[in-house]
Amino acid sequence: MPRLFGTDGVRGLANSDLTVELALSLAQAAAVVLGEGSIADGRRASGRRPVAVVARDPRISGEFIIAAVAAGLASSGVDVLDAGVLPTPAAAFLIGDIGADFGVMISASHNAAPDNGIKFFAQGGTKLPDVVEDRIEAALGAPKLAPTGVQVGRIQRFADAEDRYVLHLLGALPHRLDGLHVVLDCAHGAAAGVSPEVFTDAGAKVTVIGADPDGLNINDGVGSTHLEGVAAAVLEHGAHLGIAHDGDADRCLAVDATGKVVDGDQIMAIIALSMKERGLLREDTLVATVMSNLGLKVAMAEHGITMVETKVGDRYVLEALNERGLSLGGEQSGHVIMSDFATTGDGILTGMHIMAEMARTGKSLAELASVMTVYPQIMINVTGVDRRALPANEVVAAAVMAAEAELGTNGRVLLRASGTEPLVRVMVEANEQSTADRIAHELADIVRDQLAL
């Protein structure tokens, strides 16, 4: 059987792949695994029941899924604090802020509204390593905790959750944003309430789009996967920049004053150089994934910054940060982790630090982003294929080797089976777009032919 957990929790079509029954069972299993060592006959040795923070993005299915998760936890002797609709990084922060035992976020991030997902966080607000997720999956078939009487958990509203998160973000701001005008695209998602408030409180002039969630319109033509809207709004309003979140606001992409996209790699370059200049980039090292543009590595080397590469997934970036006590890492997609302030990617925090650097230096976003030359890149998502067969296919492997030989040091090739969707991603970088396009399409055709279902 395929592994239930993907690169970012358990995700699928709500009420089909991700059912109420599965959500309930996952919560009960998580109570056993994440409460291990804390639960004794349903209670801590101190007499206090374990506590979990739960939150969700505004998609409509989140309403019944969070109810199932809360029921599963409470029926296992866990007290539940329901933070309502908040970004994923807010949930992670709140777990550590109040000393909760663990937490759960209900979101499918950048996916369309019919999908949903369940992400678990450990004590301190960190994502779970694979081995712990495997233990939760194994516990689905094991006996559940079944306390009675006073040992049953309670479900309560986390009344000041948003206020705590807003104050945290403002406290992490290195420079006020007075004089800067930003367009915020909240993707009709979890950032719709918090993000405009924080940027306004920080001194920025804020124009907001994509901030009217109705449960069905999350990521629908807006947000970090549809940057044309924020680019048009920046030009229309004469703003200094635009910032776009995804559905759960754990990522941030930007556009400059001309509407040109500034991606996660360029954002990391800006923040890394700022932190190095201010003596805050520990070991002068940036952590990024294998998907990051070759231009990022070149730019970092030119400024004396080492780049460590990980597998795709912000939790792998976080693991590398924690192993060496480093301070900055992220993904091209806009997940940026600033470990001094957060345990996961935080799109609002990232956007604030981009603008703080603009305010500190007096430079435009385009000037700051010019530190990095982006190598032409193309990504093709090949659907209708058996992604699990990719590693063992010799024809595909030979084609990749031939492409790498052709590119030499002027580019690279990466084939990767998606951890959250049924497809294989083909990525090619080259010093010319035409070369990248040709090689990528040739490889995509081979993948489609060799791995067809």
Side-chain angles (χ1 to χ4, degrees):
M1 293 292 292
R3 189 172 185 267
L4 183 62
F5 283 86
T7 56
D8 204 17
V10 177
R11 191 178 297 183
L13 181 61
N15 223 25
S16 177
D17 304 315
L18 183 55
T19 63
V20 167
E21 293 81 7
L22 178 57
L24 179 72
S25 296
L26 279 168
Q28 292 172 322
V32 173
V33 173
L34 299 178
E36 189 176 49
S38 300
I39 300 175
D41 295 327
R43 308 188 78 177
R44 278 182 175 272
S46 64
R48 181 180 70 82
R49 289 184 295 268
V51 175
V53 173
V54 299
R56 65 181 181 91
D57 71 25
R59 67 190 73 215
I60 191 169
S61 60
E63 297 172 4
F64 69 76
I65 293 174
I66 201 168
V69 167
L73 295 176
S75 69
S76 301
V78 178
D79 283 340
V80 178
L81 289 176
D82 186 349
V85 175
L86 276 180
T88 290
F93 163 74
L94 291 166
I95 294 163
D97 190 48
I98 67 167
D101 295 273
F102 61 97
V104 190
M105 180 70 192
I106 312 302
S107 175
S109 188
H110 61 282
N111 286 27
D115 291 341
N116 218 323
I118 299 177
K119 297 186 246 191
F120 293 98
F121 292 91
Q123 193 171 45
T126 60
K127 288 191 175 182
L128 305 183
D130 290 348
V131 64
V132 178
E133 289 182 339
D134 289 341
R135 289 174 59 200
I136 292 174
E137 190 166 340
L140 287 172
K144 305 298 188 293
L145 298 169
T148 58
V150 296
Q151 295 176 356
V152 172
R154 305 295 298 272
I155 303 173
Q156 296 178 302
R157 179 84 174 106
F158 195 155
D160 64 341
E162 183 172 317
D163 291 340
R164 285 173 178 264
Y165 180 54
V166 168
L167 289 174
H168 159 67
L169 290 171
L170 292 172
L173 187 66
H175 196 291
R176 282 190 58 82
L177 311 182
D178 302 275
L180 292 176
H181 181 187
V182 61
V183 175
L184 296 178
D185 184 345
C186 299
H188 295 312
V194 176
S195 190
E197 176 184 353
V198 172
F199 280 91
T200 299
D201 288 349
K205 177 182 177 182
V206 177
T207 299
V208 184
I209 64 173
D212 298 300
D214 61 10
L216 301 171
N217 60 358
I218 189 169
N219 301 314
D220 187 6
V222 291
S224 60
T225 54
H226 301 278
L227 294 172
E228 58 275 8
V230 70
V234 166
L235 295 175
E236 177 186 352
H237 295 281
H240 293 97
L241 77 160
I243 289 173
H245 303 302
D246 60 338
D248 67 339
D250 64 351
R251 70 172 72 180
C252 162
L253 293 179
V255 297
D256 65 21
T258 70
K260 184 179 179 181
V261 173
V262 177
D263 69 13
D265 287 338
Q266 294 166 291
I267 289 169
M268 284 190 285
I270 292 168
I271 296 177
L273 292 180
S274 172
M275 291 178 65
K276 183 184 180 187
E277 184 177 335
R278 293 179 289 133
L280 300 176
L281 187 66
R282 288 194 285 280
E283 295 187 23
D284 287 341
T285 298
L286 169 69
V287 179
T289 76
V290 293
M291 293 297 291
S292 279
N293 192 276
L294 184 59
L296 177 61
K297 182 182 289 187
V298 172
M300 294 298 93
E302 289 174 349
H303 290 83
I305 296 174
T306 301
M307 199 169 98
V308 174
E309 290 186 329
T310 74
K311 294 191 294 185
V312 175
D314 60 341
R315 64 178 176 166
Y316 301 117
V317 174
L318 182 61
E319 286 175 6
L321 291 171
N322 290 339
E323 284 174 6
R324 292 179 51 178
L326 302 175
S327 51
L328 181 65
E331 298 186 283
Q332 186 184 63
S333 59
H335 289 111
V336 177
I337 303 171
M338 306 182 71
S339 61
D340 289 336
F341 308 111
T343 59
T344 187
D346 189 327
I348 301 175
L349 177 71
T350 301
M352 292 176 71
H353 277 257
I354 295 169
M355 292 184 65
E357 185 64 5
M358 292 172 65
R360 184 182 77 90
T361 62
K363 294 180 179 180
S364 69
L365 180 56
E367 289 177 285
L368 293 174
S370 67
V371 68
M372 173 185 158
T373 299
V374 179
Y375 277 55
Q377 182 186 85
I378 179 173
M379 173 87 74
I380 299 176
N381 292 331
V382 185
T383 59
V385 296
D386 182 1
R387 58 180 176 173
R388 292 169 294 179
L390 176 63
N393 191 284
E394 294 181 358
V395 175
V396 173
V400 170
M401 289 181 62
E404 290 175 334
E406 178 182 346
L407 290 168
T409 60
N410 294 317
R412 66 187 183 115
V413 175
L414 179 66
L415 266 63
R416 172 179 166 265
S418 171
T420 59
E421 301 173 81
L423 52 85
V424 171
R425 305 189 196 279
V426 176
M427 189 274 284
V428 177
E429 289 173 350
N431 54 5
E432 293 183 359
Q433 188 69 57
S434 59
T435 302
D437 290 346
R438 174 179 57 80
I439 292 175
H441 281 95
E442 289 173 355
L443 289 173
D445 288 342
I446 293 171
V447 168
R448 194 174 291 111
D449 176 67
Q450 290 291 312
L451 306 183
L453 291 172

